[in-house]
Amino acid sequence: MNPSIAAIMPTAPRPNCIFVSGRGSYLEDLHGNTYLDFIQGWAVNTLGHNHPALVETIQRQAQTLINPSPAFYNEPMLQLAERLTANSAFDHVFFANSGAEANEGAIKLARKWGARYKNGAHKIITFENGFHGRTLATMSASGKAGWDGLFEPKVAGFIKVPYNDSAAVAQAIDDQTVALMLEPIQGEAGVLPAAVEFIRSLRRLADDNNLLLIFDEIQTGIGRSGELFCYQHFGIEPDIMTLGKGLGGGVPLAALLSKQEFSCFEFGDQGGTYNGNPLAAAAGFAVINEVLAEGFLHRVRELGDYLIRHLQVLSNRYALGTVRGKGLLLALETRDLDATQIVTMALERHLLLNAPRPNCLRFMPALNVAPEDIDRMIEILDGILTELRVMSHEA
Ligand SMILES: *Cc1c(COP(=O)(O)O)cnc(C)c1O
């Protein structure tokens, strides 16, 4: 008998399967069925399920030290912060437990900087369809359709403009503006990449108007886009960046990174009970070391190109829309086909896919996914699309 789901607060429509174990690109449910996973904990499991390096690190750290308190330094926290700063444009790291919490930190840091150095400027320009998390401030910063009237009153001070429209950004800037905050690829919106020229003009606008440029790389960071950080594709540096998801490889871990000159928190401004705990930090250290290993990111780009080519073939064969994204954060427009129905049919065939929008499929496999597993996913999807096209002909 299945354990009961009655005690779980119903906040999401979950399918009727209960997962018990995972390995690489596969999950196993209570009845011993295996599923091919192209969601990977929502682009979280950088190395796939239960990668040996991650499991061994967590086991060793659990036996050594789990939490001395955020009031003390610990070794993994220092090692991971050192690794992140040595490989990015940033000097300081604040660790958090979720992406939303890291973004809260970024918003607070920008407001602190505005209070200290910019006459109390506090407004942050964010983008339509953007997603920054589910706390009150990060929901207020998000531009997700349908969130407008929820949990009012919202946190004030977020001005929303269209994505990839630098004229709209320029127009929205006033003396109260302190920062521009965006995802370099809008993930939840359906994997919408920022144009290079747009990002460069945001950098110029930020420089010209004394604003902070904040990149939310919670979904795009840690190799997902084919570079360690997505900003590296654009030839610019943000002032502040947030990480989450892939950073812990499945373990709850997030981070707020800042250049030294903007790192203006004073004692007591920011903190949290679990922040920088050695168990999560050790997991993050294991993940980043794998991602930084010789050839890993090159391989992500190759695998991304391989997946794009196959998705393009399906798109042509079934008269679907564009394939877009970078690295292993990709999407396929399904045009007239209902992506939610495709996800349901995929689940029946033991393939886990995601539809961030009604006409869009998102692919976020492990960064070390085997090409044979890409082939297998494509084969299943091919079968589903054949069936749907036959059905739409019969209709
Ligand atoms: C997932 C996500 C968040 C929120 O992260 P949580 O860990 O769920 O709080 C914020 N921003 C982006 C871009 C995300 O993809």
Side-chain angles (χ1 to χ4, degrees):
M1 249 213 25
N2 286 354
S4 169
I5 60 168
I8 297 296
M9 197 177 281
T11 58
R14 295 185 172 98
N16 200 12
C17 42
I18 298 166
F19 288 114
V20 291
S21 66
R23 180 147 298 270
S25 287
Y26 290 87
L27 274 172
E28 190 174 315
D29 74 10
L30 208 56
H31 303 292
N33 301 305
T34 57
Y35 296 76
L36 176 56
D37 188 0
F38 269 62
I39 294 178
Q40 286 290 356
W42 237 257
V44 159
N45 302 319
T46 308
L47 307 174
H49 292 283
N50 297 42
H51 187 277
L54 184 58
V55 171
E56 191 270 328
T57 297
I58 293 169
Q59 282 173 338
R60 186 168 32 79
Q61 190 59 45
Q63 281 166 352
T64 310
L65 180 64
I66 293 178
N67 200 346
S69 133
F72 302 112
Y73 294 114
N74 66 73
E75 234 181 338
M77 160 212 264
L78 303 179
Q79 289 172 321
L80 179 56
E82 193 279 327
R83 199 61 106 237
L84 286 169
T85 53
N87 289 282
S88 72
F90 308 97
D91 308 296
H92 285 169
V93 184
F94 171 81
F95 288 112
N97 311 289
S98 71
E101 190 191 357
N103 280 340
E104 285 272 345
I107 293 162
K108 284 171 68 174
L109 187 60
R111 286 189 174 190
K112 175 86 187 192
W113 185 80
R116 272 180 74 165
Y117 303 111
K118 224 195 154 197
N119 275 326
H122 63 276
K123 287 188 199 164
I124 300 180
I125 296 175
T126 61
F127 293 85
E128 289 172 8
N129 299 310
F131 181 79
H132 299 294
R134 291 172 179 281
T135 60
L136 273 176
T138 56
M139 280 187 93
S140 305
S142 298
K144 205 172 153 88
W147 278 12
D148 279 359
L150 274 177
F151 312 123
E152 295 296 311
K154 286 283 192 310
V155 175
F158 296 99
I159 314 301
K160 259 149 248 163
V161 300
Y163 197 61
N164 276 328
D165 183 345
S166 42
V169 177
Q171 208 157 40
I173 296 170
D174 65 23
D175 338 336
Q176 294 293 297
T177 312
V178 72
L180 314 175
M181 178 173 181
L182 77 160
E183 302 157 85
I185 300 173
Q186 287 191 327
E188 300 308 302
V191 190
L192 304 175
V196 174
E197 200 29 65
F198 172 64
I199 294 291
R200 296 205 175 140
S201 66
L202 291 188
R203 182 65 273 175
R204 276 194 300 275
L205 283 170
D207 292 341
D208 293 349
N209 295 283
N210 195 24
L211 309 175
L212 302 178
L213 182 59
I214 304 173
F215 267 34
D216 175 345
E217 291 229 24
I218 288 162
Q219 192 156 144
T220 54
I222 313 296
R224 179 61 50 188
S225 76
E227 295 285 351
L228 186 60
F229 305 112
C230 192
Y231 77 79
Q232 295 169 316
H233 290 282
F234 298 98
I236 59 101
E237 292 178 355
D239 303 309
I240 291 171
M241 175 174 77
T242 52
L243 297 173
K245 294 200 165 85
L247 178 62
V251 172
L253 177 63
L256 160 65
L257 292 89
S258 173
K259 293 199 174 203
Q260 176 135 32
E261 54 183 313
F262 309 114
S263 175
C264 58
F265 278 145
E266 295 172 286
F267 292 159
D269 282 346
Q270 185 65 326
T273 306
Y274 297 113
N275 298 50
N277 74 79
L279 189 66
F285 191 58
V287 170
I288 198 166
N289 287 336
E290 291 292 322
V291 172
L292 287 171
E294 179 82 38
F296 188 96
L297 288 169
H298 179 72
R299 185 75 183 141
V300 173
R301 294 191 286 272
E302 282 183 347
L303 289 164
D305 290 343
Y306 185 76
L307 179 50
I308 286 175
R309 279 203 303 280
H310 282 73
L311 291 173
Q312 197 60 61
V313 169
L314 292 185
S315 176
N316 296 342
R317 186 176 298 156
Y318 298 101
L320 305 176
T322 51
V323 178
R324 57 170 181 258
K326 282 188 200 302
L328 284 169
L329 181 59
L330 297 173
L332 168 64
E333 282 293 334
T334 59
R335 287 246 173 95
D336 56 307
L337 297 183
D338 177 357
T340 319
Q341 186 184 4
I342 296 174
V343 167
T344 307
M345 291 172 75
L347 182 69
E348 287 162 2
R349 289 157 181 76
H350 293 182
L351 166 65
L352 305 182
L353 287 183
N354 164 251
R357 292 238 155 159
N359 301 92
C360 171
L361 291 172
R362 177 169 46 176
F363 304 87
M364 36 191 173
L367 298 188
N368 55 5
V369 61
E372 306 82 72
D373 289 328
I374 293 180
D375 295 345
R376 187 152 173 210
M377 184 281 289
I378 291 288
E379 199 183 304
I380 298 171
L381 185 54
D382 195 359
I384 293 169
L385 293 170
T386 301
E387 230 174 274
L388 287 173
R389 275 299 178 226
V390 169
M391 280 159 61
S392 61
H393 274 287
E394 283 167 354

